[in-house]
């Protein structure tokens, strides 16, 4: 079975191993703007909406110039609504526009617009990181998990992390639902990349079917 599992993981990563930050055009670094853009993306992805729409909406916000908390907070509410609409994020656009404005104000007032201040406050405690992230309006448990599984690339204390949604993907692919075993099967693949690929398998049956088909051909 180990040989089969290794082929499935390799097929998954080869075809679908891209983080959501990469898909949204975020060159993730431990600097204020990319971290903020990741927070916005995690917020958008956590809603009951297609991931592709959330990614497109994050891109639309960036293209509208709403790429840091100061600009997000200063933008007119309608400006935020319109940008979300251009990304296709229409079902939740009005509420989300309000939450993004309020969250930007919170980040500016409490941590000077820099999520590294939140990280410093958590002092290496991932549970505290998760709790602080959930203080942002609209960022619940799912949003906090999304942020952490992506930010583990640049915040080592969050790694390795395969959250519940990633383990759902492993289950769909017939893989072990044990983080250590999955990481071992993935070899040198970064945990953030593996997690994103597994999440895609969890939320899209076509990704799972494609992966299993590719693995059979190996």
């Amino acid at each position: 079975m180990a040989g089969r599992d290794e082929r499935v993981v390799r097929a998954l990563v080869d075809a679908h191993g891209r983080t959501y930050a990469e898909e949204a055009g975020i060159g993730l670094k431990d600097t204020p703007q990319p971290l903020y853009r990741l927070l916005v993306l995690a917020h958008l992805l956590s809603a009951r909406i297609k991931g592709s729409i959330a990614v497109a909406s994050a891109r639309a916000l960036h293209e509208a110039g709403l790429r840091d908390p100061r600009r997000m907070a200063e933008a007119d509410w309608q400006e935020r609504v319109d940008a979300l609409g251009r990304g296709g994020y229409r079902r939740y656009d009005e509420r989300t526009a309000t939450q993004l404005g309020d969250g930007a104000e919170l980040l500016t007032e409490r941590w000077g617009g820099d999520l590294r201040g939140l990280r410093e406050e958590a002092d290496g405690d991932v549970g505290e990181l998760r709790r602080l992230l959930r203080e942002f309006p609209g960022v619940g448990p799912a949003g906090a998990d999304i942020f952490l599984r992506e930010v583990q690339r640049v915040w080592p204390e969050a790694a390795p992390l395969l959250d519940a949604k990633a383990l759902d993907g492993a289950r769909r692919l017939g893989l072990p639902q044990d983080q250590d075993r999955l990481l071992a099967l993935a070899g040198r693949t970064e945990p953030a990349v593996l997690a994103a690929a597994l999440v895609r398998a969890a939320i899209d049956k076509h990704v799972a079917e494609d992966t299993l088909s590719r693995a059979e051909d190996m």
Side-chain angles (χ1 to χ4, degrees), residues 126-175:
V126 177
E128 183 65 5
L129 273 177
R130 185 176 281 108
R131 186 191 70 79
L132 291 171
L133 289 165
R134 290 179 61 183
E135 292 191 18
F136 287 98
V139 178
D145 281 349
I146 293 166
F147 181 89
L148 289 172
R149 73 172 183 243
E150 295 269 327
V151 85
Q152 65 181 312
R153 286 190 121 172
V154 294
W155 288 3
E157 68 271 28
L161 174 64
L162 302 181
D163 64 356
K165 184 61 74 174
L167 296 180
D168 284 345
R171 184 179 303 109
R172 172 172 264 183
L173 292 168
L175 295 169

Side-chain angles (χ1 to χ4, degrees), residues 19-28 38 41 150:
T19 67
Y20 284 91
E22 289 173 328
E23 188 178 345
I26 301 170
L28 190 57
L38 177 60
L41 176 63
E150 295 269 327

Side-chain angles (χ1 to χ4, degrees), residues 200-215:
R200 287 188 171 90
I203 63 178
D204 187 342
K205 68 177 182 179
H206 299 297
V207 168
E209 291 168 353
D210 174 70
T211 296
L212 294 174
S213 176
R214 289 171 182 268

Side-chain angles (χ1 to χ4, degrees), residues 94-149:
E94 295 186 357
R95 181 180 66 183
T96 300
T98 299
Q99 292 171 338
L100 288 173
D102 292 343
E105 290 180 2
L106 171 64
L107 179 55
T108 300
E109 293 170 3
R110 186 162 173 181
W111 293 292
D114 188 344
L115 281 163
R116 292 177 299 181
L118 178 150
R119 181 191 187 190
E120 184 176 345
E121 184 173 329
D123 194 26
D125 185 330
V126 177
E128 183 65 5
L129 273 177
R130 185 176 281 108
R131 186 191 70 79
L132 291 171
L133 289 165
R134 290 179 61 183
E135 292 191 18
F136 287 98
V139 178
D145 281 349
I146 293 166
F147 181 89
L148 289 172
R149 73 172 183 243

Side-chain angles (χ1 to χ4, degrees), residues 3-200:
R4 179 266 180 192
D5 289 349
E6 288 171 359
R7 290 196 303 273
V8 170
V9 171
R10 188 164 68 251
L12 175 68
V13 171
D14 286 350
H16 307 286
R18 183 166 63 146
T19 67
Y20 284 91
E22 289 173 328
E23 188 178 345
I26 301 170
L28 190 57
K29 300 176 182 177
D30 188 26
T31 53
Q33 189 177 116
L35 291 171
Y36 177 67
R37 291 183 63 197
L38 177 60
L39 178 65
V40 170
L41 176 63
H43 181 164
L44 299 178
L45 283 167
S46 66
R48 294 180 180 275
I49 200 163
K50 287 184 177 180
S52 58
I53 293 176
V55 167
S57 299
R59 283 182 172 273
L61 288 165
H62 178 74
E63 290 163 3
L66 309 182
R67 60 194 65 169
D68 61 54
R70 179 184 62 80
R71 293 176 183 177
M72 185 70 79
E74 290 177 353
D76 181 81
W77 176 82
Q78 190 62 52
E79 190 177 347
R80 295 193 293 267
V81 169
D82 291 345
L84 290 167
R86 287 193 294 275
Y89 207 87
R90 295 186 178 88
R91 183 177 175 187
Y92 305 100
D93 55 352
E94 295 186 357
R95 181 180 66 183
T96 300
T98 299
Q99 292 171 338
L100 288 173
D102 292 343
E105 290 180 2
L106 171 64
L107 179 55
T108 300
E109 293 170 3
R110 186 162 173 181
W111 293 292
D114 188 344
L115 281 163
R116 292 177 299 181
L118 178 150
R119 181 191 187 190
E120 184 176 345
E121 184 173 329
D123 194 26
D125 185 330
V126 177
E128 183 65 5
L129 273 177
R130 185 176 281 108
R131 186 191 70 79
L132 291 171
L133 289 165
R134 290 179 61 183
E135 292 191 18
F136 287 98
V139 178
D145 281 349
I146 293 166
F147 181 89
L148 289 172
R149 73 172 183 243
E150 295 269 327
V151 85
Q152 65 181 312
R153 286 190 121 172
V154 294
W155 288 3
E157 68 271 28
L161 174 64
L162 302 181
D163 64 356
K165 184 61 74 174
L167 296 180
D168 284 345
R171 184 179 303 109
R172 172 172 264 183
L173 292 168
L175 295 169
Q177 288 102 64
D178 177 84
Q179 175 170 287
D180 291 340
R181 290 178 65 189
L182 288 167
L183 290 168
L185 288 168
R188 295 183 179 180
T189 300
E190 290 181 70
V193 172
L194 176 61
L198 287 168
V199 168
R200 287 188 171 90

